[in-house]
Every structure is written in C-alpha cells, then in structure tokens.
C-alpha cells in the first residue's frame, strides 16, 4: 500500500514481538518515504520501494516501558520525522 501514499509519508510499524529484547528500532529514509519500525524484518518489503538514503538506530530511553516501545520510542520518533526534524543528527 506504500505506493498509494504521498511521497515523504512517515510510516510507523509496531509489530514487535521482540519488545524488551536487544532488537534495534530503526528510522529509515528512502526515495519514497520514511519508516520507523523495529529491526525484526517488518521493513524488508517496504524498503524495496526505493533506494535507502539514510538509516539510524533510535535509542531506547531508560524511561521507556519494557513492554510498549511503540508508544514510548517509535511513535515519538515518527512524530519528529512528520514535523520535519531529522533524527540522524
């Protein structure tokens, strides 16, 4: 469905059975869109829709819940991207 969204859309995917483990959380910018998701394979197909221009691991703050990184880490990161703020500074 990525092809049906405007260029530059921020996509947030929170299918995260590995929450609370050592898996990473990623922010990725492609030619077509931006993505925030856990590094668990969920982005594999999405990243075929354009060249990856930048990617960064999003740190998990100590204050984040150990069971709800979608709320405490990924959603705030996606919101920052939607506001036009780069996460890779």
């Amino acid at each position: 469905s990525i092809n049906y969204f405007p260029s530059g859309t921020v996509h947030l995917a929170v299918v995260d059975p590995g929450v609370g483990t050592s898996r990473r959380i990623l922010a990725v910018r492609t030619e077509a869109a931006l993505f925030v998701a856990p590094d668990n394979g969920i982005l594999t197909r999405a990243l075929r829709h354009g060249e990856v221009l930048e990617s960064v691991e999003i740190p998990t703050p100590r204050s984040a819940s150990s069971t709800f990184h979608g709320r405490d880490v990924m959603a705030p990161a996606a919101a920052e991207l939607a506001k036009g703020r780069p996460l890779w500074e």
Side-chain angles (χ1 to χ4, degrees):
S1 64
I2 292 166
N3 294 332
Y4 297 100
F5 286 87
S7 179
T9 296
V10 177
H11 299 274
L12 171 62
V14 188
V15 178
D16 193 15
V19 69
T21 68
S22 62
R23 68 86 189 89
R24 301 176 306 159
I25 297 173
L26 304 175
V28 179
R29 180 186 306 274
T30 69
E31 295 172 320
L34 297 107
F35 301 91
V36 176
D39 187 13
N40 62 7
I42 195 167
L43 291 178
T44 302
R45 291 187 59 161
L47 296 180
R48 294 181 188 155
H49 289 273
E51 180 182 348
V52 173
L53 303 175
E54 297 177 277
S55 65
V56 64
E57 180 177 349
I58 300 170
T60 301
R62 289 182 165 214
S63 61
S65 162
S66 62
T67 60
F68 202 9
H69 289 169
R71 176 195 66 202
D72 297 341
V73 184
M74 293 180 237
E80 291 299 309
L81 287 172
K83 290 191 288 187
R85 295 188 181 159
L87 288 177
W88 22 85
E89 292 183 326

XYZ file of all heavy atoms in Angstrom:
668
model
N 0.812 -1.209 0.000
C 0.000 0.000 0.000
C 0.853 1.270 0.000
O 0.319 2.358 -0.150
C -0.936 -0.016 1.202
O -0.206 0.030 2.397
N 2.160 1.142 0.162
C 3.031 2.309 0.203
C 2.881 3.165 -1.051
O 2.926 4.386 -0.979
C 4.495 1.873 0.402
C 4.668 1.283 1.791
C 5.462 3.018 0.194
C 5.954 0.542 1.983
N 2.671 2.531 -2.182
C 2.556 3.267 -3.440
C 1.360 4.207 -3.473
O 1.288 5.095 -4.319
C 2.466 2.293 -4.613
C 3.739 1.504 -4.786
O 4.819 1.960 -4.434
N 3.630 0.305 -5.313
N 0.400 4.040 -2.591
C -0.804 4.864 -2.583
C -0.693 6.075 -1.666
O -1.622 6.873 -1.571
C -2.020 4.021 -2.190
C -2.288 2.932 -3.198
C -1.875 1.629 -2.959
C -2.902 3.210 -4.404
C -2.086 0.623 -3.884
C -3.123 2.214 -5.344
C -2.708 0.922 -5.077
O -2.917 -0.058 -6.002
N 0.422 6.234 -0.993
C 0.634 7.362 -0.090
C 1.477 8.424 -0.785
O 2.293 8.109 -1.642
C 1.354 6.905 1.184
C 0.487 6.126 2.117
C 0.362 4.753 1.976
C -0.204 6.765 3.132
C -0.441 4.025 2.841
C -1.012 6.048 3.999
C -1.129 4.675 3.852
N 1.318 9.684 -0.393
C 2.146 10.741 -0.991
C 3.624 10.540 -0.663
O 3.978 9.980 0.379
C 1.632 12.023 -0.329
C 0.357 11.682 0.334
C 0.355 10.206 0.565
N 4.462 11.032 -1.533
C 5.898 10.978 -1.300
C 6.221 11.698 0.004
O 5.660 12.740 0.308
C 6.623 11.649 -2.465
O 8.006 11.623 -2.258
N 7.107 11.120 0.792
C 7.505 11.720 2.056
C 6.668 11.310 3.244
O 6.906 11.760 4.358
N 5.681 10.437 3.031
C 4.854 9.964 4.136
C 5.716 9.252 5.175
O 6.644 8.529 4.830
C 3.767 9.003 3.625
O 2.885 9.731 2.762
C 2.960 8.392 4.758
N 5.394 9.444 6.444
C 6.060 8.735 7.529
C 5.218 7.521 7.882
O 4.051 7.654 8.242
C 6.234 9.625 8.776
C 6.874 8.833 9.907
C 7.056 10.853 8.437
N 5.788 6.340 7.743
C 5.103 5.086 8.053
C 5.660 4.538 9.365
O 6.873 4.411 9.512
C 5.321 4.047 6.945
C 4.796 4.484 5.616
N 3.492 4.291 5.241
C 5.407 5.120 4.588
C 3.317 4.777 4.028
N 4.462 5.291 3.608
N 4.781 4.195 10.272
C 5.161 3.629 11.563
C 4.598 2.219 11.650
O 3.399 2.016 11.474
C 4.596 4.493 12.696
C 4.706 3.943 14.114
C 6.160 3.746 14.512
C 4.004 4.884 15.080
N 5.466 1.261 11.899
C 5.044 -0.137 12.031
C 5.431 -0.628 13.419
O 6.587 -0.563 13.802
C 5.708 -1.006 10.966
N 4.451 -1.115 14.148
C 4.703 -1.545 15.521
C 4.267 -2.994 15.706
O 3.473 -3.311 16.569
C 3.996 -0.626 16.541
C 4.420 -0.973 17.958
C 4.279 0.829 16.257
N 4.748 -3.869 14.865
C 4.570 -5.308 15.054
C 5.870 -5.760 15.684
O 6.882 -5.888 15.006
C 4.306 -6.035 13.718
C 4.167 -7.527 13.938
C 3.068 -5.457 13.043
N 5.852 -5.930 16.993
C 7.109 -6.024 17.722
C 7.101 -7.112 18.795
O 7.100 -6.805 19.982
C 7.402 -4.655 18.337
C 8.817 -4.534 18.864
O 9.664 -5.375 18.516
O 9.060 -3.585 19.621
N 7.124 -8.372 18.402
C 7.175 -9.424 19.418
C 8.488 -9.424 20.194
O 8.594 -10.057 21.234
C 7.006 -10.714 18.622
C 7.361 -10.372 17.229
C 7.074 -8.913 17.055
N 9.495 -8.679 19.718
C 10.792 -8.638 20.394
C 10.930 -7.488 21.371
O 12.025 -7.202 21.832
N 9.820 -6.806 21.699
C 9.905 -5.675 22.622
C 10.527 -6.136 23.936
O 10.275 -7.231 24.409
C 8.527 -5.017 22.857
C 7.600 -5.916 23.636
C 8.677 -3.693 23.563
N 11.408 -5.308 24.462
C 12.091 -5.659 25.702
C 13.339 -6.494 25.500
O 14.019 -6.836 26.464
N 13.658 -6.824 24.245
C 14.877 -7.586 23.961
C 15.936 -6.638 23.398
O 15.740 -5.426 23.369
C 14.601 -8.711 22.940
O 14.298 -8.116 21.669
C 13.451 -9.594 23.382
N 16.998 -7.184 22.875
C 18.085 -6.358 22.339
C 17.851 -5.945 20.885
O 18.731 -5.317 20.294
C 19.408 -7.110 22.455
O 19.356 -8.297 21.696
N 16.703 -6.243 20.301
C 16.459 -5.847 18.915
C 16.474 -4.322 18.825
O 16.155 -3.623 19.763
C 15.184 -6.454 18.342
C 13.884 -5.962 18.941
C 13.385 -4.718 18.286
N 12.271 -4.158 19.002
C 12.352 -3.294 19.989
N 13.505 -2.906 20.437
N 11.269 -2.795 20.555
N 16.888 -3.816 17.665
C 17.018 -2.376 17.474
C 15.705 -1.778 16.960
O 14.864 -2.493 16.425
C 18.122 -2.080 16.462
C 19.454 -2.628 16.900
C 20.544 -2.433 15.871
N 20.141 -2.991 14.578
C 20.676 -2.639 13.416
N 21.640 -1.742 13.371
N 20.279 -3.180 12.281
N 15.576 -0.473 17.100
C 14.479 0.270 16.485
C 15.124 1.179 15.450
O 16.119 1.853 15.727
C 13.703 1.095 17.525
C 13.064 0.161 18.546
C 12.632 1.937 16.832
C 12.418 0.870 19.711
N 14.572 1.191 14.241
C 15.185 1.906 13.132
C 14.308 3.019 12.591
O 13.083 2.903 12.581
C 15.475 0.931 11.985
C 16.331 -0.285 12.312
C 16.420 -1.193 11.098
C 17.713 0.143 12.775
N 14.956 4.067 12.114
C 14.316 5.089 11.290
C 15.046 5.057 9.957
O 16.285 5.075 9.926
C 14.429 6.463 11.925
N 14.285 4.960 8.869
C 14.884 4.816 7.548
C 14.226 5.807 6.590
O 13.000 5.931 6.561
C 14.689 3.381 7.002
C 15.293 3.239 5.621
C 15.286 2.355 7.958
N 15.058 6.515 5.822
C 14.559 7.409 4.780
C 14.879 6.776 3.427
O 16.027 6.414 3.170
C 15.232 8.777 4.876
C 14.750 9.766 3.813
C 15.548 11.063 3.845
N 15.561 11.673 5.157
C 14.630 12.506 5.628
N 13.586 12.806 4.880
N 14.741 13.028 6.836
N 13.870 6.624 2.600
C 14.071 6.140 1.237
C 13.707 7.264 0.270
O 13.283 8.340 0.690
C 13.190 4.913 0.922
O 11.823 5.316 0.857
C 13.381 3.807 1.946
N 13.837 7.001 -0.999
C 13.442 7.974 -2.016
C 11.955 8.288 -1.919
O 11.536 9.396 -2.252
C 13.748 7.428 -3.406
C 15.213 7.236 -3.675
C 15.469 6.516 -4.979
O 14.737 5.564 -5.302
O 16.413 6.925 -5.672
N 11.163 7.341 -1.453
C 9.716 7.491 -1.464
C 9.099 7.890 -0.131
O 8.071 8.557 -0.104
C 9.071 6.176 -1.925
N 9.698 7.474 0.984
C 9.022 7.640 2.266
C 10.016 7.530 3.416
O 11.197 7.267 3.214
C 7.935 6.577 2.414
N 9.474 7.679 4.616
C 10.236 7.471 5.848
C 9.554 6.369 6.626
O 8.324 6.251 6.613
C 10.271 8.749 6.674
C 10.977 9.908 5.981
C 9.953 10.924 5.537
C 11.962 10.521 6.919
N 10.352 5.588 7.343
C 9.826 4.450 8.082
C 10.426 4.420 9.481
O 11.606 4.701 9.663
C 10.194 3.132 7.381
C 9.676 3.035 5.986
C 10.445 3.464 4.918
C 8.417 2.519 5.740
C 9.971 3.385 3.618
C 7.934 2.434 4.445
C 8.706 2.871 3.378
N 9.605 4.058 10.451
C 10.063 3.800 11.808
C 9.507 2.440 12.180
O 8.297 2.203 12.058
C 9.568 4.876 12.795
C 9.984 4.516 14.207
C 10.086 6.257 12.411
N 10.377 1.542 12.616
C 9.937 0.182 12.926
C 11.032 -0.564 13.682
O 12.196 -0.175 13.634
C 9.614 -0.581 11.637
N 10.652 -1.657 14.335
C 11.674 -2.499 14.950
C 12.468 -3.224 13.865
O 11.964 -3.460 12.760
C 10.860 -3.489 15.796
C 9.506 -3.501 15.184
C 9.299 -2.160 14.569
N 13.687 -3.550 14.182
C 14.557 -4.275 13.253
C 14.281 -5.768 13.387
O 15.084 -6.531 13.916
C 16.015 -3.958 13.567
C 16.979 -4.535 12.557
O 16.540 -4.970 11.474
O 18.188 -4.574 12.864
N 13.116 -6.173 12.908
C 12.707 -7.573 13.021
C 12.259 -8.156 11.683
O 11.617 -9.191 11.639
C 11.597 -7.723 14.065
C 10.337 -6.960 13.705
O 10.220 -6.408 12.610
N 9.394 -6.929 14.616
N 12.582 -7.458 10.597
C 12.215 -7.931 9.270
C 10.968 -7.285 8.706
O 10.665 -7.455 7.532
N 10.240 -6.521 9.510
C 8.981 -5.928 9.046
C 9.191 -4.942 7.895
O 8.305 -4.744 7.082
C 8.225 -5.268 10.215
C 6.783 -4.993 9.815
C 8.922 -4.012 10.691
C 5.895 -4.644 10.974
N 10.367 -4.347 7.800
C 10.622 -3.372 6.738
C 11.148 -3.990 5.446
O 11.307 -3.289 4.456
C 11.630 -2.322 7.221
C 11.135 -1.367 8.290
C 12.252 -0.424 8.705
C 9.936 -0.589 7.797
N 11.394 -5.262 5.424
C 12.031 -5.901 4.271
C 11.337 -5.565 2.960
O 11.965 -5.107 2.011
C 12.091 -7.432 4.466
O 12.818 -7.695 5.664
C 12.775 -8.105 3.296
N 10.055 -5.759 2.882
C 9.325 -5.476 1.630
C 9.184 -3.985 1.383
O 9.267 -3.524 0.256
C 7.969 -6.149 1.642
C 8.095 -7.663 1.544
C 6.783 -8.305 1.392
N 6.133 -7.807 0.179
C 5.145 -8.408 -0.425
N 4.681 -9.525 0.047
N 4.603 -7.901 -1.499
N 8.969 -3.216 2.427
C 8.788 -1.770 2.272
C 10.029 -1.128 1.669
O 9.932 -0.216 0.850
C 8.463 -1.140 3.614
N 11.184 -1.588 2.060
C 12.426 -0.970 1.601
C 12.772 -1.327 0.167
O 13.743 -0.816 -0.384
C 13.568 -1.319 2.548
C 13.390 -0.770 3.960
C 14.563 -1.161 4.840
C 13.180 0.733 3.959
N 11.967 -2.128 -0.469
C 12.149 -2.428 -1.898
C 11.516 -1.354 -2.778
O 11.631 -1.402 -3.993
C 11.542 -3.782 -2.240
C 12.256 -4.926 -1.577
C 11.641 -6.239 -1.948
N 12.225 -7.296 -1.146
C 11.624 -8.433 -0.872
N 10.417 -8.670 -1.342
N 12.220 -9.339 -0.136
N 10.858 -0.365 -2.173
C 10.143 0.666 -2.926
C 10.980 1.905 -3.176
O 10.440 2.939 -3.517
C 8.850 1.047 -2.193
C 7.829 -0.029 -2.248
N 6.947 -0.157 -3.283
C 7.567 -1.055 -1.410
C 6.179 -1.204 -3.073
N 6.539 -1.762 -1.942
N 12.243 1.822 -3.019
C 13.118 2.954 -3.281
C 14.444 2.769 -2.588
O 14.560 2.037 -1.618
N 15.423 3.449 -3.101
C 16.764 3.357 -2.531
C 16.770 3.911 -1.108
O 16.163 4.945 -0.823
C 17.737 4.152 -3.390
C 19.151 4.114 -2.893
C 20.089 4.956 -3.747
O 19.699 5.386 -4.835
O 21.217 5.170 -3.293
N 17.466 3.215 -0.215
C 17.625 3.704 1.146
C 18.657 4.822 1.115
O 19.785 4.632 0.688
C 18.079 2.578 2.104
C 18.407 3.140 3.474
C 17.000 1.506 2.203
N 18.238 6.004 1.561
C 19.116 7.170 1.565
C 19.825 7.339 2.898
O 20.985 7.742 2.936
C 18.312 8.431 1.239
C 17.557 8.405 -0.091
C 16.715 9.655 -0.238
C 18.520 8.242 -1.255
N 19.106 7.059 3.990
C 19.680 7.192 5.324
C 18.970 6.230 6.260
O 17.804 5.916 6.070
C 19.478 8.605 5.872
C 20.156 9.685 5.082
C 19.846 11.049 5.639
O 18.796 11.594 5.301
O 20.682 11.547 6.429
N 19.682 5.788 7.269
C 19.056 4.982 8.315
C 19.798 5.233 9.621
O 20.973 5.588 9.618
C 19.065 3.494 7.966
O 20.380 3.003 7.924
N 19.068 5.080 10.712
C 19.653 5.312 12.023
C 18.958 4.416 13.034
O 17.779 4.090 12.893
C 19.519 6.801 12.439
C 18.088 7.213 12.596
C 20.309 7.095 13.684
N 19.706 3.999 14.024
C 19.116 3.281 15.144
C 18.597 4.309 16.136
O 19.292 5.264 16.480
C 20.151 2.387 15.819
C 19.593 1.614 16.992
C 20.604 0.671 17.624
O 21.676 0.455 17.035
O 20.302 0.158 18.712
N 17.370 4.130 16.581
C 16.768 5.031 17.555
C 17.046 4.474 18.942
O 16.670 3.339 19.240
C 15.253 5.160 17.323
C 14.990 5.704 15.921
C 14.618 6.042 18.391
C 13.550 5.633 15.506
N 17.689 5.245 19.791
C 17.977 4.735 21.135
C 16.703 4.623 21.965
O 15.771 5.393 21.795
C 18.922 5.777 21.717
C 18.681 7.014 20.933
C 18.204 6.590 19.577
N 16.685 3.659 22.833
C 15.563 3.487 23.756
C 15.915 4.174 25.062
O 16.861 3.775 25.739
C 15.289 1.988 24.001
O 15.006 1.365 22.746
C 14.118 1.798 24.953
N 15.169 5.221 25.420
C 15.471 5.905 26.674
C 15.228 5.011 27.880
O 14.387 4.108 27.833
C 14.513 7.095 26.689
C 13.676 7.002 25.488
C 14.057 5.796 24.717
N 15.948 5.254 28.941
C 15.772 4.460 30.167
C 14.351 4.561 30.700
O 13.865 3.647 31.346
C 16.749 4.913 31.238
C 18.151 4.536 30.925
C 19.080 4.949 32.027
N 20.332 4.253 31.817
C 21.102 3.843 32.778
N 20.781 4.078 34.021
N 22.213 3.207 32.504
N 13.688 5.684 30.427
C 12.330 5.901 30.925
C 11.273 5.115 30.143
O 10.117 5.054 30.555
C 11.981 7.388 30.877
O 12.047 7.857 29.540
N 11.657 4.494 29.018
C 10.700 3.756 28.193
C 10.242 2.486 28.890
O 11.019 1.803 29.555
C 11.327 3.403 26.852
N 8.986 2.184 28.717
C 8.434 0.938 29.225
C 9.163 -0.237 28.576
O 9.576 -0.160 27.417
C 6.947 0.866 28.868
O 6.469 -0.449 28.965
N 9.299 -1.316 29.281
C 9.948 -2.500 28.699
C 8.978 -3.309 27.851
O 9.371 -4.280 27.219
C 10.520 -3.382 29.806
O 9.473 -3.851 30.639
N 7.714 -2.895 27.797
C 6.715 -3.655 27.035
C 5.955 -2.828 26.007
O 5.085 -3.376 25.335
C 5.681 -4.281 27.988
O 5.034 -3.236 28.724
C 6.330 -5.273 28.930
N 6.263 -1.540 25.861
C 5.473 -0.732 24.930
C 6.332 0.301 24.203
O 6.126 1.497 24.307
C 4.325 -0.055 25.664
C 3.177 0.344 24.779
C 3.103 -0.047 23.448
C 2.155 1.124 25.280
C 2.048 0.327 22.637
C 1.080 1.510 24.479
C 1.040 1.106 23.159
N 7.317 -0.181 23.443
C 8.194 0.712 22.700
C 7.470 1.425 21.575
O 7.930 2.469 21.111
C 9.399 -0.044 22.161
C 10.351 -0.437 23.245
N 11.387 -1.299 23.026
C 10.427 -0.081 24.549
C 12.069 -1.471 24.152
N 11.490 -0.738 25.091
N 6.347 0.888 21.124
C 5.559 1.581 20.108
C 5.124 2.945 20.599
O 5.190 3.936 19.876
N 4.699 3.015 21.831
C 4.254 4.280 22.433
C 5.427 5.146 22.874
O 5.442 6.362 22.653
C 3.371 3.988 23.643
C 2.927 5.243 24.390
C 2.372 4.929 25.749
N 3.429 4.380 26.610
C 3.189 3.630 27.675
N 1.962 3.325 28.022
N 4.189 3.169 28.399
N 6.416 4.541 23.504
C 7.465 5.300 24.177
C 8.664 5.653 23.300
O 9.410 6.568 23.640
C 7.969 4.525 25.391
C 6.892 4.321 26.441
O 5.886 5.058 26.415
O 7.050 3.432 27.288
N 8.863 4.936 22.205
C 10.048 5.165 21.373
C 9.664 5.429 19.917
O 10.031 6.454 19.342
C 11.030 3.966 21.445
C 12.307 4.271 20.660
C 11.354 3.612 22.886
N 8.919 4.515 19.315
C 8.631 4.615 17.883
C 7.680 5.746 17.527
O 7.938 6.494 16.582
C 8.093 3.282 17.371
C 9.127 2.174 17.402
S 8.445 0.621 16.800
C 8.756 -0.423 18.209
N 6.588 5.909 18.255
C 5.628 6.978 17.939
C 6.264 8.361 18.090
O 6.086 9.210 17.206
C 4.369 6.843 18.783
N 7.007 8.629 19.170
C 7.667 9.943 19.252
C 8.667 10.176 18.107
O 8.779 11.288 17.595
C 8.369 9.916 20.605
C 7.590 8.942 21.422
C 7.153 7.892 20.433
N 9.392 9.135 17.710
C 10.342 9.279 16.600
C 9.605 9.586 15.302
O 10.019 10.472 14.535
C 11.164 8.002 16.444
N 8.494 8.892 15.045
C 7.705 9.150 13.839
C 7.136 10.569 13.860
O 7.099 11.248 12.835
C 6.587 8.119 13.711
N 6.704 11.025 15.023
C 6.172 12.383 15.141
C 7.245 13.419 14.812
O 6.976 14.416 14.130
C 5.621 12.610 16.541
N 8.463 13.198 15.279
C 9.559 14.123 14.982
C 9.835 14.159 13.476
O 10.064 15.224 12.907
C 10.816 13.745 15.758
C 10.697 13.974 17.252
C 10.450 15.433 17.603
O 11.195 16.315 17.118
O 9.498 15.695 18.368
N 9.823 13.002 12.835
C 10.020 12.963 11.389
C 8.889 13.688 10.671
O 9.120 14.416 9.705
C 10.105 11.514 10.900
C 11.386 10.779 11.235
C 11.256 9.306 10.873
C 12.562 11.407 10.512
N 7.653 13.500 11.120
C 6.498 14.143 10.494
C 6.576 15.668 10.629
O 6.076 16.394 9.771
C 5.201 13.615 11.101
N 7.212 16.151 11.693
C 7.393 17.589 11.885
C 8.561 18.129 11.061
O 8.833 19.314 11.077
C 7.632 17.909 13.361
C 6.400 17.706 14.216
C 6.566 18.279 15.618
C 7.487 17.476 16.462
N 7.531 17.938 17.879
N 9.240 17.230 10.365
C 10.357 17.651 9.515
C 11.700 17.649 10.201
O 12.698 18.081 9.623
N 11.757 17.146 11.398
C 13.020 17.112 12.128
C 13.806 15.844 11.780
O 13.277 14.757 11.827
C 12.761 17.147 13.621
C 12.136 18.432 14.048
C 12.064 18.532 15.538
N 11.421 19.780 15.897
C 10.856 19.988 17.066
N 10.861 19.054 17.984
N 10.290 21.143 17.318
N 15.063 15.997 11.437
C 15.873 14.802 11.154
C 16.252 14.096 12.443
O 16.505 14.733 13.460
C 17.111 15.378 10.461
C 17.203 16.771 10.960
C 15.784 17.240 11.224
N 16.273 12.791 12.408
C 16.685 12.014 13.565
C 18.160 11.648 13.496
O 18.702 11.107 14.428
C 15.866 10.720 13.670
C 14.421 10.888 14.084
C 13.719 9.537 14.063
C 14.341 11.477 15.477
N 18.797 11.916 12.393
C 20.176 11.447 12.231
C 21.185 12.569 12.377
O 22.127 12.666 11.642
C 20.360 10.744 10.887
C 19.355 11.129 9.864
C 19.374 12.187 9.032
C 18.134 10.440 9.610
N 18.255 12.196 8.276
C 17.472 11.134 8.591
C 17.544 9.300 10.148
C 16.239 10.735 8.100
C 16.330 8.910 9.640
C 15.684 9.610 8.633
N 20.964 13.443 13.320
C 21.954 14.480 13.598
C 22.830 14.053 14.737
O 22.427 13.369 15.633
C 21.273 15.789 13.942
C 20.552 16.389 12.772
C 19.939 17.750 13.106
O 19.512 17.963 14.248
O 19.916 18.556 12.195
